[in-house]
Amino acid sequence: MTPITCIIVDDEPLAVKLLESFVQKTPQLQLEHSFTDSVEALSWLRHHPVQLAFMDIQMPDMNGMELSHMLPEGTKVIFTTAFKEYAFESYEVSAIDFLLKPIRYNKFIAAVEKAEQWFSHSSTPSKTSMFLRVDGELRQVNFDKILYVEGMKDYVRFHIEGERVPLTTHMTMKAVEDVLPADVFMRINRSYIVRLDKIRTVDRNLCVYIGEEIIRVTDAYREVFERYCSNGYSGS
C-alpha cells in the first residue's frame, strides 16, 4: 500500500512538532503540511486534498469539530485533544480514531493502522448489500432499498422501501456510516442517515421529506447537505 498522505492541524507548536516526529518515523504516512491555524488549513485543503488529517479539537477561530464537517471528500480524521469528553462527539462525526494528549507513539501507530484498514477497505469493489441480525436471524438488505436509518441509542432501525415495519438491529450509527456507501447515503442529524436519491422534497427550513418521515437537517450537518443540494455530492 502506498503511504497515506496526511496533514497536522494543531494550534500548539509543540504538539505539531511531536506529531511530525511520529509521522517521520512511520513509513505508512507521508506528511504534506502542518498548520497551527485551522482556517489556513481549510483553505490549503481545498486545493491540496489529502487522505488523513491529525486534528486538534480546541482551536481558535474554527475548532476541529467544525473543520471536520468542511473537509474535502475522501479526507478522514484522527482527532488529537487533551479533553476526553470530546471522545463521543468525535465518533459521531465518523473519525477514524481519537488520541488523548499526551500522545504516546504506540497509541499513534494503532490509530494509523486503523486508517490503513479503512483506506484498504474503501478501495475494494463496492458492496451492494449488507446483512442485519434481526430477531436472531441474518437478513440481507440491498442498499438501494434503504430509505433511511434511524438511531436509537445502541440500536438502529432500517426503514426499507415497500416494508411497513422497520428492521431493528443492535448497531451504532457510526458502524452504519462505515458500511453504507458515502456517495449515496448522508447523515443529516445525530439520529438519521438518509438515502439521497430517495428524498422527495427539502423545504425552506431544511426539513427532508423521505418515505413517510420529515427529518430536520441540524446545524452540524447543514453545510455538507447544502453543498450537496447546490452542487451534488460524491462522498465524504
Side-chain angles (χ1 to χ4, degrees), residues 188-226:
I188 60 172
N189 70 40
R190 188 169 178 175
S191 300
Y192 286 92
I193 298 169
V194 301
R195 183 174 174 105
L196 296 166
D197 59 4
K198 301 292 186 181
I199 296 173
R200 299 197 312 277
T201 307
V202 180
D203 68 20
R204 67 181 63 186
N205 297 313
L206 274 191
C207 290
V208 169
Y209 292 70
I210 185 168
E212 300 300 319
E213 191 74 18
I214 303 173
I215 307 166
R216 181 174 175 80
V217 181
T218 54
D219 289 344
Y221 303 91
R222 173 186 290 267
E223 180 164 347
V224 174
F225 183 76
E226 287 181 332

Side-chain angles (χ1 to χ4, degrees), residues 57-58 65 81 83-91 98:
I57 293 179
Q58 281 204 335
M65 288 296 173
T81 181
F83 301 93
K84 64 182 179 180
E85 58 266 28
Y86 287 117
F88 178 77
E89 191 176 354
S90 74
Y91 288 109
F98 175 93

